[in-house]
Amino acid sequence: MIVVREFGIRRLPAGAAADDGLMAELADLVNEVYAVAEEGLWADGVARTSVAEVAGYVKAEEIAVALVDGRIAGCVRVREVDGDTSEFGMLAASPRHRGSGLGRELVRCAERLGRAEGRGVMQLELLVPRDWQHPSKEFLAAWYGRIGYRPVATGVVERDYPHLAPYLATPCHFVIYRKDLEADQSTPV
């Protein structure tokens, strides 16, 4: 387990996907956090993820969790995009730990994992409404900028994620942010 400050952060082993209770806890955490962070972007009743989807990511060893006092306090998905690029997503910190630095430590963990796997770039995608400003998304865009991420492209949901487009409540696109991990050694392996 990687221990960072008071947070124990570790990648879940593939076998953890068989723990239905843990998969439900992770899906509930992500859905709780994203219900607020993406309020107004999705049609009523649309969940960010499902137990089956989370279990699939855990089987692929793409999920890292943060523990506080032995309980799940946050998670992040880290996956390979290509030979030089990793991506993090599904970043979720429990509302009980908001402002504690947990989100930043989860991002640092994702960056360490990317470097350990030989990748020099980390990216993320931020879903944003096309025609209005979402307060949570504006906050996140500024926060990602402060920790070294820069927007490099804008994607179209209807083209790149056509299976998600029908569930949107408002037209959205996503901004791709990247950070050069080789230039930023502030989060060593």
Side-chain angles (χ1 to χ4, degrees):
M1 177 188 306
I2 301 169
V3 177
V4 183
R5 295 185 188 157
E6 71 272 17
F7 308 115
I9 302 176
R10 64 184 174 99
R11 181 178 268 173
L12 290 176
D19 183 337
D20 294 337
L22 177 59
M23 297 304 100
E25 184 178 356
L26 287 170
D28 288 347
L29 171 64
V30 170
N31 287 329
E32 175 188 10
V33 169
Y34 278 79
V36 174
E38 296 187 336
E39 183 178 15
L41 301 185
W42 299 98
D44 289 341
V46 173
R48 167 63 177 83
T49 194
S50 67
V51 172
E53 184 177 49
V54 170
Y57 297 150
V58 171
K59 282 180 191 172
E61 296 186 348
E62 295 178 348
I63 299 289
V65 296
L67 304 173
V68 175
D69 298 326
R71 297 187 51 125
I72 298 215
C75 66
V76 64
R77 178 183 180 211
V78 184
R79 69 178 191 90
E80 178 183 6
V81 173
D82 60 43
D84 191 50
T85 306
S86 288
E87 178 179 73
F88 77 81
M90 290 182 73
L91 177 64
S94 167
R96 292 175 296 288
H97 298 286
R98 197 121 326 118
S100 68
L102 176 57
R104 183 179 307 263
E105 295 307 327
L106 284 163
V107 171
R108 286 181 177 157
C109 175
E111 292 171 357
R112 282 192 298 276
L113 290 170
R115 273 195 209 95
E117 294 167 353
R119 297 192 192 92
V121 176
M122 180 62 71
Q123 81 173 26
L124 68 99
E125 295 178 354
L126 184 64
L127 183 71
V128 294
R130 284 187 202 147
D131 304 323
W132 53 282
Q133 292 185 332
H134 191 288
S136 291
K137 299 302 181 164
E138 294 296 309
F139 170 84
L140 285 171
W143 185 72
Y144 289 133
R146 287 192 303 275
I147 62 172
Y149 287 84
R150 300 292 172 248
V152 296
T154 300
V156 179
V157 174
E158 294 81 4
R159 179 191 67 221
D160 300 311
Y161 299 103
H163 61 287
L164 296 178
Y167 300 106
L168 290 172
T170 189
C172 292
H173 57 256
F174 59 95
V175 180
I176 300 169
Y177 289 78
R178 287 192 167 190
K179 180 177 182 177
D180 181 346
L181 297 178
E182 292 171 354
D184 175 16
Q185 295 297 314
S186 64
T187 52
V189 176

